[in-house]
Amino acid sequence: MTQGPDRAGAAPKSGAASSMEAVPPSPQDGSFESLMVRVQDGDARAYKRLLESVVPLLRSLSLRALRHPHDVEDAVQDILLTLHRVRHTYEPGRPFLPWLIAISRRRIIDRQRQAGRERRREAAFAAEAETFRSPAANNPVVFDDSDLMAAMVNLTPTERRAIELLKLRELSLKEASALSGVSATALKVAVHRAMRRLRGLLGGQS
Amino acid sequence: MNGAPEMIETLVRDLRPVRRLAPPFVRATLWLLFVIALALAAGFTLGQPVALWHRLASPAFVVEFAATWLTGVSAAFAAFQLSVPDRSRNWAFVPMAPLAVWLTASGSQCWRALSAGGGWGQGAEPSCFIFVAGAGAPITLSLLLALRRAAPLEPVRTALLGALGAAALCAAALQFFHPFDVTFLDLGFHAAAVALLAGLAALLARTTRTRRG
C-alpha cells in the first residue's frame, strides 16, 4: 500500500520544486541521507554540515516564489525551524531531498500567504507627506554617523570597545564581557563614561 | 541577510537525539488493529451478531458493509500517510472511492426501502447519531493523538481524513447494533455524525497549529 501513490508523490512536480534538477546540491562528505540519520542520533557536526549544504537550495527555492529578499530570508529560516521540529519524521532509507522539498514548499506557501496579507493590510510609509508645525522639524535630517565616528576617536580603547559591543552591536553585558575579556562591571563603567563624553562632544548638534 | 547562519548555530546548539517515527504504514496498522479489535469485541458481546450474519446473505448489504470498512481503513491509512512530509498528497483521494460506494449502496438501500412502502425514517433512531458521534469522538481523539507526534504539514486535511476514518469505522461497527436496512433519515444521521466529528477534528487541528505558531 505504501508503494502506490506514495512513490509517485516523491518526485516534485511543480513550481519551486522543479529547480531541484537545475541545482543539485551536495554536502561536502557523506550523502544527505547518511547525514540526516546521524542528525537524528544527535550528531551536531553532521547537522551543521547538512544545514549549511541545504541553505543555498532553500534560498533558490524561496527566490522563485517570493519577491522580497526579507521574505526569502524569512522563508529559509521557517524551513530550517520546521526541519528541526520534524526531524524525527525522516525515515532512514528514503531519499532526503523530497522530504526537505515537501517541507520547503509548505513553508514557502505559508510565507507567500503571509506576505500577501501584509501587502493588503500595510502601506509603505510616505515620509514626504508628513509636515510639522515647527519649520525646523520639516527639514529632512539624515543621521550622519561620521560625527559619531570622529567623536569616538576621543574615547579610550576600553570605552570605544564598550560602546561598540553594547551600543552598536547591542550585545548583553554578559556576552560583551565574554567577548572582550573585560568584566561586566568595568564595561558598565566604561560605557557610562563613554556615553557622557560622547553626549558632551555631540550634544551641540542634536 | 545574516539570519540563516545564526539560526543554524542556534539549531545545532539545540540538537538532541530524537526517537524516529515508525513508518506510517506500521503506525496505521497498529492503530487500526486496536480500533477494529475494540469494535468487534463490542459488536460480538453487546450487539446482535446473529442478525448481522443473516443480513450478510444480501449481496447489496455485503457491498455496503465492505465499503464502510474500506472507507474507515483507507481514510485512517491516508491520514497517517499525510502526517509525514514526503508522502504524496494524493493519499487524500484514496478513501473517496470506497466512500462513494458506501454512500451509493446506502442510498440505493434507502430507495428500495422507500419504494417497498417503508417511510423516510422507519426504524431510524437518533441513537444511530449518538452511537457514531459518541463512539467516534474518543476514536477520533485517539487518532489525532497518534498523528500529533508526526507533526503533519497540513493538519486540517489530515484531521478531516482521520475523522472520516473514525466515523466510518463506527458506522461499520453500528451494523452489529442496527439489524435493519438504512433509511434516508439514518443516512442523514450518519452524515451529521461524520460532519460533526470532522468539524471538531478540523477545529482542534487548527487550534493546535495556531498555538504552535
Side-chain angles (χ1 to χ4, degrees), chain B residues 18-88:
Chain B
V18 284
R19 192 159 58 87
R20 289 186 189 96
L21 204 65
F25 186 80
V26 174
R27 290 186 297 129
T29 308
L30 288 176
W31 183 80
L32 278 167
L33 281 177
F34 165 71
V35 171
I36 292 174
L38 212 66
L40 291 181
F44 277 102
T45 52
L46 307 170
Q48 302 169 32
V50 181
L52 177 65
W53 182 250
H54 288 309
R55 290 177 71 210
L56 283 172
S58 147
F61 177 72
V62 172
V63 169
E64 186 202 335
F65 194 51
T68 315
W69 280 110
L70 217 57
T71 305
V73 170
S74 59
F77 266 109
F80 275 96
Q81 292 289 341
L82 287 196
S83 74
V84 283
D86 57 341
R87 306 307 159 103
S88 171

Side-chain angles (χ1 to χ4, degrees), chain B residues 2-209:
Chain B
N2 294 327
E6 274 174 28
M7 174 155 286
I8 290 176
E9 292 297 331
T10 314
L11 296 181
V12 168
R13 262 202 310 277
D14 188 50
L15 185 71
R16 302 280 177 278
V18 284
R19 192 159 58 87
R20 289 186 189 96
L21 204 65
F25 186 80
V26 174
R27 290 186 297 129
T29 308
L30 288 176
W31 183 80
L32 278 167
L33 281 177
F34 165 71
V35 171
I36 292 174
L38 212 66
L40 291 181
F44 277 102
T45 52
L46 307 170
Q48 302 169 32
V50 181
L52 177 65
W53 182 250
H54 288 309
R55 290 177 71 210
L56 283 172
S58 147
F61 177 72
V62 172
V63 169
E64 186 202 335
F65 194 51
T68 315
W69 280 110
L70 217 57
T71 305
V73 170
S74 59
F77 266 109
F80 275 96
Q81 292 289 341
L82 287 196
S83 74
V84 283
D86 57 341
R87 306 307 159 103
S88 171
R89 306 292 103 181
N90 294 339
W91 271 103
F93 299 109
V94 174
M96 296 307 139
L99 178 65
V101 175
W102 173 26
L103 294 180
T104 314
S106 310
S108 70
Q109 273 205 51
C110 299
W111 184 250
R112 261 202 309 278
L114 194 66
S115 320
W120 286 86
Q122 198 178 41
E125 284 172 29
S127 62
C128 307
F129 171 80
I130 295 168
F131 183 91
V132 177
I139 295 178
T140 308
L141 204 66
S142 79
L143 181 61
L144 290 183
L145 283 174
L147 294 172
R148 219 177 117 86
R149 202 177 110 72
L153 293 178
E154 293 174 66
V156 174
R157 199 193 295 199
T158 312
L160 285 175
L161 280 168
L164 173 66
L169 290 173
C170 286
L174 178 68
Q175 299 291 0
F176 282 96
F177 302 87
H178 187 291
F180 40 80
D181 283 350
V182 283
T183 60
F184 276 114
L185 202 58
D186 266 328
L187 207 59
F189 281 142
H190 279 259
V194 173
L196 179 74
L197 282 182
L200 285 177
L203 201 69
L204 200 66
R206 201 179 278 271
T207 321
T208 320
R209 184 175 59 173

Side-chain angles (χ1 to χ4, degrees), chain A residues 110-130:
Chain A
D110 287 347
R111 180 55 55 183
Q112 272 177 326
R113 286 183 184 155
Q114 197 179 338
R117 273 199 301 272
E118 279 169 8
R119 263 197 299 283
R120 275 198 300 279
R121 204 173 47 211
E122 295 169 9
F125 175 64
E128 65 275 14
E130 208 77 47

Side-chain angles (χ1 to χ4, degrees), chain A residues 87-99:
Chain A
R87 62 190 188 279
H88 63 289
T89 66
Y90 170 73
E91 195 182 317
R94 290 180 68 89
F96 169 78
L97 285 176
W99 180 82

